[in-house]
């Protein structure tokens, strides 16, 4: 899963962080466009939670909101070639490695928009209990891939898996956010994030993913 | 892993916990697991740093202890509104269904993860909208002895009230939080009172229900 852009939207719909990791969106959109996109996502998210058709609500009332833990998403790959001493714990800010968390978790985003598929890109949204939204735009398009490319999994399953990977990944971005943004004494709440350390960590994690 | 889980299930059976984390582990186990996987600092350094802050405040405010209490609360509040993100990122616990569950999460997870203590939840009000936390080994007040003039006014650990206030407000729980008694003041126990005023329903993020 290649991630093109990461957005963080605060609880009032303001864009507080935006980074492009390739030219796909950067060449077409300026920073003002991203501000508009952020508040549009915020609104569409709210609208989406209101307009789920009754038929779907009835047939899908047993939707499982538990996101299984997918090991080491976005982490430095633990391949044996690196010859790393496994007994040494990996330091990840205030988290003891090798990973930020180790268990499956329940998504806080129950009725809002979670995933948006288009011919050009896929968008994933992870919302926290405090109303913060972490958005990942990925160039991977699952919608029109022929079945042979996805293997024997059907399309729905592949989409589901991608969404779970994204949720795992975005929760880790949240972990990094709480370490490097929330614990930055010079950061004022709800304001744009200008932390270099945070930037670096996010970049690293996106790099590890592709 | 299977051995771990069998231990967990024993614990769940022994206690009367209703709240469950996604893996059906008890909150106590969740708290302990996460505490184990978090970096820590030396407890004495922490205690002494806090002591230094309080003593500096005493100098700055000319021993006006009412003002110092307020300042500590405000400092705590500012910590709390940020610390809650850390707590949620680590635990990813779902929203509590009632205050009873909230009290368990605060005592078994929050205090465990950040201070490595689990205060007892006591003194429930009749309509279940207020409870007390009985803090037995308050790490903030190790080595501390209050001078005579501070004994009946200063709430030495008032920062904790502020932290809880800020953190709970960020998850849309408007609470009143204050100390009722403190061993440092010569009381029998250290008791912290939490009273829920209202749930800020309008501020619950859309998409959560």
């Amino acid at each position: 899963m290649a991630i093109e852009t990461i957005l963080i939207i605060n609880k009032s719909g303001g864009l507080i962080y935006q980074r492009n990791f390739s030219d796909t969106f950067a060449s077409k959109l300026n920073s003002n466009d991203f501000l508009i996109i952020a508040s549009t996502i915020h609104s569409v998210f709210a609208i989406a939670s209101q307009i789920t058709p009754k038929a779907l609500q009835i047939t899908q009332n047993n939707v499982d909101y538990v996101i299984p833990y997918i090991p080491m998403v976005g982490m430095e790959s633990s391949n044996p070639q690196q010859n790393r001493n496994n007994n040494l714990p990996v330091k990840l800010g205030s988290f003891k490695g090798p990973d930020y968390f180790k268990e499956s978790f329940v998504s806080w985003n129950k009725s809002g928009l979670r995933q948006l598929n288009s011919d050009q890109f896929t968008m994933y949204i992870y919302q926290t209990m405090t109303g913060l939204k972490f958005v990942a735009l990925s160039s991977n398009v699952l919608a029109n891939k022929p079945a042979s490319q996805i293997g024997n999994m059907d399309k729905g399953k592949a989409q589901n898996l991608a969404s779970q990977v994204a949720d795992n990944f975005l929760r880790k971005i949240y972990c990094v956010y709480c370490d490097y943004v929330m614990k930055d004494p010079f950061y004022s709440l709800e304001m744009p994030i200008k932390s270099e350390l945070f930037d670096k960590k996010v970049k690293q994690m996106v790099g590890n993913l592709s | 892993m299977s051995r771990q889980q069998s231990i967990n299930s024993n614990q769940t059976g022994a206690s009367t916990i209703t709240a469950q984390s996604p893996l059906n582990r008890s909150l106590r186990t969740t708290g302990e697991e996460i505490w184990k996987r978090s970096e820590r600092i030396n407890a004495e350094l922490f205690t002494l740093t806090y002591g230094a802050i309080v003593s500096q405040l005493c100098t700055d405010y000319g021993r006006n202890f009412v003002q110092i209490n307020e300042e500590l609360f405000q400092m705590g509040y500012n910590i709390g509104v940020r610390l809650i993100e850390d707590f949620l990122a680590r635990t990813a616990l779902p929203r509590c269904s009632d205050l009873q569950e909230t009290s368990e999460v605060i005592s078994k997870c929050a205090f465990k993860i950040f201070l490595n203590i689990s205060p007892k939840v006591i003194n429930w009000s009749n309509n279940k909208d207020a409870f007390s936390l009985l803090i037995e080994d308050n790490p903030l007040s190790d080595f501390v002895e209050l001078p005579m003039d501070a004994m009946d006014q200063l709430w030495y650990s008032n920062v904790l009230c502020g932290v809880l206030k800020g953190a709970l407000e960020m998850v849309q729980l408007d609470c009143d939080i204050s100390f009722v008694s403190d061993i440092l003041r010569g009381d029998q126990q250290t008791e912290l009172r939490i009273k829920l005023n209202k749930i800020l329903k309008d501020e619950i993020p859309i998409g959560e229900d």
Side-chain angles (χ1 to χ4, degrees):
Chain A
M1 186 161 77
I3 288 185
E4 310 291 334
T5 299
I6 296 262
L7 309 173
I8 303 179
I9 304 171
N10 69 14
K11 60 180 166 206
S12 24
L15 183 67
I16 55 169
Y17 181 82
Q18 179 260 317
R19 275 296 166 279
N20 295 309
F21 301 98
S22 74
D23 263 352
T24 323
F25 296 105
S27 54
K28 294 177 202 136
L29 300 163
N30 61 33
S31 55
N32 203 28
D33 294 333
F34 274 110
L35 281 172
I36 298 168
I37 289 174
S39 41
T40 311
I41 292 173
H42 188 74
S43 323
V44 170
F45 185 95
I47 296 167
S49 71
Q50 301 295 313
I51 55 166
T52 314
K54 257 266 134 29
L56 267 183
Q57 283 177 25
I58 294 164
T59 51
Q60 299 199 339
N61 58 0
N62 54 352
V63 179
D64 197 1
Y65 295 107
V66 177
I67 316 285
Y69 166 61
I70 299 168
M72 305 306 273
V73 171
M75 310 306 289
E76 235 172 286
S77 60
S78 49
N79 61 26
Q81 290 169 341
Q82 272 174 314
N83 232 353
R84 162 180 239 314
N85 188 348
N86 278 328
N87 297 323
L88 273 179
V90 190
K91 277 196 109 173
L92 304 163
S94 68
F95 296 80
K96 273 186 188 158
D99 210 343
Y100 285 96
F101 53 90
K102 280 188 190 157
E103 64 292 308
S104 24
F105 55 100
V106 181
S107 171
W108 286 306
N109 180 3
K110 302 255 159 78
S111 60
L113 192 62
R114 289 172 83 172
Q115 183 179 1
L116 187 144
N117 299 317
S118 83
D119 291 345
Q120 271 85 43
F121 67 92
T122 314
M123 178 170 80
Y124 303 95
I125 303 181
Y126 174 81
Q127 181 174 253
T128 73
M129 208 203 268
T130 49
L132 210 60
K133 285 185 191 68
F134 291 82
V135 182
L137 295 174
S138 163
S139 56
N140 278 23
V141 180
L142 293 158
N144 49 9
K145 261 188 193 164
S148 60
Q149 251 180 301
I150 311 175
N152 48 12
M153 274 194 296
D154 61 85
K155 214 157 64 183
K157 255 191 191 150
Q159 275 181 9
N160 208 3
L161 181 70
S163 150
Q164 287 167 355
V165 170
D167 271 333
N168 270 266
F169 181 75
L170 290 174
R171 183 179 163 195
K172 282 175 196 177
I173 301 278
Y174 184 35
C175 291
V176 174
Y177 166 87
C178 81
D179 252 4
Y180 294 95
V181 181
M182 284 295 108
K183 288 171 196 167
D184 175 0
F186 299 107
Y187 174 74
S188 26
L189 290 177
E190 314 281 306
M191 297 306 275
I193 299 165
K194 296 203 172 69
S195 161
E196 269 175 41
L197 270 174
F198 177 68
D199 233 17
K200 207 177 101 191
K201 293 283 165 183
V202 170
K203 211 171 183 174
Q204 236 171 39
M205 282 176 65
V206 171
N208 289 341
L209 204 60
S210 46
Chain B
M1 192 61 198
S2 64
R3 202 178 120 232
Q4 192 90 46
Q5 262 164 355
S6 71
I7 297 168
N8 297 344
S9 58
N10 284 342
Q11 281 184 344
T12 321
S15 56
T16 51
I17 299 158
T18 48
Q20 302 260 296
S21 74
L23 273 183
N24 282 336
R25 300 180 309 179
S26 71
L27 286 170
R28 186 176 294 281
T29 327
T30 310
E32 264 162 26
E33 287 268 301
I34 292 167
W35 177 74
K36 273 183 213 148
R37 282 193 279 119
S38 306
E39 293 290 338
R40 291 154 227 163
I41 64 158
N42 181 288
E44 290 182 9
L45 173 69
F46 175 69
T47 307
L48 295 175
T49 311
Y50 183 69
I53 290 172
V54 179
S55 115
Q56 185 62 47
L57 283 176
C58 288
T59 318
D60 289 355
Y61 286 97
R63 305 188 84 74
N64 179 343
F65 296 112
V66 178
Q67 231 178 343
I68 295 168
N69 287 342
E70 269 169 37
E71 185 60 26
L72 283 173
F73 190 91
Q74 191 56 44
M75 285 169 69
Y77 180 86
N78 291 333
I79 296 173
V81 293
R82 290 160 177 253
L83 199 63
I84 185 69
E85 305 284 3
D86 191 281
F87 178 74
L88 293 174
R90 276 173 213 275
T91 60
L93 282 171
R95 187 174 288 279
C96 299
S97 52
D98 54 22
L99 195 65
Q100 217 146 1
E101 203 178 324
T102 311
S103 71
E104 300 280 318
V105 171
I106 292 173
S107 113
K108 300 205 173 84
C109 292
F111 271 88
K112 178 72 193 172
I113 294 169
F114 295 116
L115 291 175
N116 191 23
I117 52 171
S118 289
K120 276 204 193 82
V121 179
I122 52 164
N123 290 350
W124 276 98
S125 66
N126 287 335
N127 49 353
K128 299 274 175 216
D129 68 342
F131 62 94
S132 290
L133 291 174
L134 187 65
I135 305 172
E136 267 161 356
D137 290 305
N138 183 359
L140 291 178
S141 60
D142 276 347
F143 327 120
V144 176
E145 216 174 282
L146 292 184
M148 286 306 280
D149 60 337
M151 277 285 244
D152 50 356
Q153 287 185 64
L154 178 67
W155 292 115
Y156 181 82
S157 308
N158 215 29
V159 74
L160 291 180
C161 297
V163 171
L164 284 166
K165 168 82 183 169
L168 289 171
E169 196 176 288
M170 290 301 276
V171 288
Q172 296 84 36
L173 298 172
D174 179 26
C175 299
D176 279 337
I177 297 157
S178 59
F179 272 102
V180 179
S181 61
D182 191 338
I183 290 183
L184 288 181
R185 287 179 163 212
D187 298 317
Q188 288 293 307
Q189 55 193 26
T190 304
E191 184 182 338
L192 196 158
R193 189 84 184 148
I194 300 179
K195 184 182 178 298
L196 176 69
N197 291 330
K198 63 164 185 265
I199 298 168
L200 307 165
K201 287 217 172 75
D202 296 345
E203 285 172 37
I204 292 181
I206 294 167
E208 227 188 67
D209 38 52

